[in-house]
Amino acid sequence: SYYKQNTILRRIERRMAVNQIARLSDYVRYMQDDHKEAGILFKELLIGVTNFFRDKEAFEALRDKAIHKLFENRSPDNPVRIWVPGCATGEEAYSIALLCQDVIRTTGKNQSVQVFATDIDSDAIEVARLGLYPDSISVDVPPDYLDRFFKREDSSFRINKEIRDRVVFALQNVISDPPFSKIDLISCRNLLIYLGSELQKKVLPLFHYSLKKEGFLFLGSSETIGEFSDYFSVVDRKWKLFKRKDTGLAQRQVLDFHAPTATDRRVDAQTAMHLAPVRVINYREVAEKVILESYGPTGVLINEKSEVLYIQGRAGKYLEPPSGEYTGNIIALAREGLKLELATSIRKVLAQKTEVRIDHLRVKTNGDYQLVNLVVKPISQPASLEGTLMVIFEDLPYDERSQARPESQGGIDEPDPRVEQLEHELRSTKEYLQTTIEELETSNEELKSTNEELQSSNEELQSTNEELETSKEELQSINEELTTVNSELQQKIEELSKTGSDLNNLLASTEIATIFLDTSLNIRRFTPAATEFFSLLQTDIGRPVSHLASHMFYDCLVEDAKAVLKTLVPKEMEVETKQGRWFKMRILPYCTIENVIDGVVITFVDITPLRSMEKNLRQEISERERAEQSVQRALDYAEGIVNTVREPLVVMDADLRVVSANSSFYRTFGVTPEETQGNLLYELGNRQWQIPKLRELLEDLLPQKTEVSDFEVDHVFPEIGHKVMVLNARQIASKEGVDENKLILLAIEDRTIHDHDH
């Protein structure tokens, strides 16, 4: 409820913009319908902007002026306790733990350190507990700290166990949950800038309660203690480092651990009285107080602003309230004859830190004058009263007052003109001085009013500064998100560029002409090889393909592309260019990753070599068919000749396998064509042709002479009986001269028959 309203509105407007919602009422309904949105908005309000050693000079001041002092004169069994409220993802807590570890190393003390880091964001606490951060922290963390206190893991850094064990992370709402106590140092940087003044007035006394005596408070560069100067003293004004004051005002502060409400600002006076502690009467203190009031000098305790804190004794002879609005300033309360010297003495003591004494002051009291000695001295002990001043009024004894007023000899006043003149000048001077003092008091009142206005303006400026710091952190948070998105986009662009280069190289290496058209048949992209079919330039991208001059004997490209785009049925055909080359053209639908048809793709594959091979193959087939026809005719002719020969005749290949034989051979030797053709000559008729003389003829003589005539063989065939044969053999070689293709022609003349007839 007391978060900065402008911050809340900005974060709501951001979520409305993300969800594209224009009106606030619509966003409320959207949150009611989508329960996750409330959690997302809550995360948006917790602007987790932090990093290691944020404002390095501030952390140097913290180390030199606070952390070093925490380790001085401290026993090892008295641990240093540090609280980091609003720790976000833990960088600030770990930074302070690193500084403590570095101080321990330099001082050589084995001192225990406990760092309590709290936040209301559970996700941020989980990240902090892991202690794993991206390698970008190397920009903020000193290199020697990275080497000593971090461990490299892939592209990240993990805090080592020694530091991790010193930090305890916990969920806590600093407004409503009980605080830690007996803390030496509270580091609460850039949390107060998000809180309204009501919450700030609650949190700062709470921090004062949590701190030990002489404890330190470390705030952000745009944060201040505001009106709680009585709670803390300034150690470093620039870097907002403060020390706890142990003042009575702070001790009377009533603390509660609940978020403030409207009724909290109307606390009942009677309830406050009941909360006041009951004090037991101490008779010794009462007796000492009566004696001091009766016989001791009158003393007034004031602060640095000259405001009265405590009065001891009867001060009415020296102080009286002026007419008008009451003020607690001792100079305004001082009687005539005391104001000037009192103001001068206070200024000297504040400047020189030494006691100032002025004797024989004439103070006007009830129409008469009282001689008084004025003493102003600084107070340094106890520490709770450090910075205050004690003003002491000492009445002169009667004899001293008498000496201060000597009478003339003989007891007879003898007027002296010179004395009267001096007295007159003195009265005039006093009147002038009184007038000057009154004018000065008037000026002081005006300055006081101006100061109050300036103070009000300063508070407004402080609030504005906090708003600016909040806006800065929001912008930084958005900038970090944009940086992350930009890195992802950059990576996608690099991947896309690489994919585009790969695709271009692939298309160029395949030498396949490709043209990409959109749904209006405008050119979207093309490969360099496509210039062989169309007069294409890079400036033609976006032009309709129908406007380009074609280099093909094909005029239906646009109609066919429209048909494919309409029916989604690919089309394929062979086209010829005007240079006489042939290509296979394919027109296919262009389909996106989302399976949406967004145009057509036309490819041209060079098939000129295939067409040439096909043409040559057809010619070879034609020639082979003609040759086979010629061979067949020759075979038919030869077979006709062979069959007309009356003598047995057989044709064999180079392996002596029978290719063919005439009918006379089959009839003479009693075999059939099925038993003969394709078989070795020696295996015919149950291997009855195993004749040594025949082997001599075919294997020895014929290979040497290529032709053998009248070679007589006498052999008894098991099946047909005794035969006397005259053999004539001849090798018939092919035109190529290949031995495997040669044929052997064997003519057999049966002399057995001729002898019988004779």
Side-chain angles (χ1 to χ4, degrees), residues 26-175:
D26 295 337
Y27 182 65
V28 173
R29 283 193 295 271
Y30 176 73
M31 286 181 51
Q32 291 171 344
D33 296 336
D34 187 355
H35 298 293
K36 294 182 179 179
E37 180 62 24
I40 297 174
L41 178 60
F42 172 69
K43 296 293 184 184
E44 286 284 337
L45 292 172
L46 304 178
I47 304 169
V49 178
T50 184
N51 53 271
F52 282 92
F53 299 102
R54 190 178 185 185
D55 300 327
K56 291 187 177 180
E57 295 181 2
F59 275 89
E60 290 175 0
L62 176 67
R63 179 189 58 196
D64 298 337
K65 298 181 179 180
I67 295 180
H68 268 291
K69 294 186 178 299
L70 295 180
F71 287 88
E72 292 178 356
N73 302 321
R74 182 182 289 267
S75 61
D77 58 346
N78 184 15
V80 174
R81 293 166 57 87
I82 300 172
W83 180 23
V84 184
C87 66
T89 49
E91 286 91 333
E92 181 182 341
Y94 284 129
S95 298
I96 295 176
L98 292 176
L99 290 179
C100 291
Q101 185 63 28
D102 196 34
V103 171
I104 290 173
R105 183 181 64 86
T106 54
T107 58
K109 290 186 175 182
N110 186 19
Q111 185 66 51
S112 175
V113 177
Q114 295 176 346
V115 180
F116 303 98
T118 62
D119 199 277
I120 199 173
D121 188 353
S122 58
D123 294 338
I125 287 293
E126 290 301 321
V127 173
R129 284 171 175 164
L130 289 176
L132 186 66
Y133 299 97
D135 55 5
S136 57
I137 67 170
S138 58
V139 177
D140 303 311
V141 181
D144 59 326
Y145 280 18
L146 279 178
D147 295 338
R148 287 191 289 135
F149 303 124
F150 289 85
K151 181 181 179 182
R152 185 81 182 200
E153 292 187 4
D154 297 330
S155 59
S156 305
F157 288 99
R158 185 182 295 277
I159 200 84
N160 67 14
K161 188 175 185 300
E162 182 183 15
I163 301 299
R164 178 63 186 87
D165 291 344
R166 295 185 184 274
V167 186
V168 177
F169 292 98
L171 282 174
Q172 186 200 43
N173 186 335
V174 73
I175 303 302

Side-chain angles (χ1 to χ4, degrees), residues 282-296 310 312-314:
N282 190 319
Y283 296 103
R284 178 179 176 181
E285 291 183 2
V286 174
E288 290 178 350
K289 183 177 180 181
V290 172
I291 294 172
L292 287 174
E293 289 179 352
S294 302
Y295 304 102
Y310 182 78
Q312 174 65 40
R314 298 177 180 179

Side-chain angles (χ1 to χ4, degrees), residues 482-538:
L482 291 176
T483 301
T484 303
V485 174
N486 185 51
S487 300
E488 294 176 357
L489 290 177
Q490 185 67 27
Q491 184 178 359
K492 295 294 183 183
I493 291 172
E494 291 177 358
E495 293 176 358
L496 183 61
S497 177
K498 185 177 180 181
T499 303
S501 299
D502 294 342
L503 181 60
N504 289 334
N505 283 281
L506 175 62
L507 294 175
S509 64
T510 57
E511 297 182 354
I512 298 176
T514 306
I515 300 176
F516 298 88
L517 304 179
D518 59 17
T519 53
S520 301
L521 300 185
N522 297 325
I523 295 176
R524 177 182 289 163
R525 191 175 184 180
F526 61 88
T527 61
T531 56
E532 187 171 348
F533 305 93
F534 299 94
S535 300
L536 282 169
L537 298 172
Q538 286 296 327

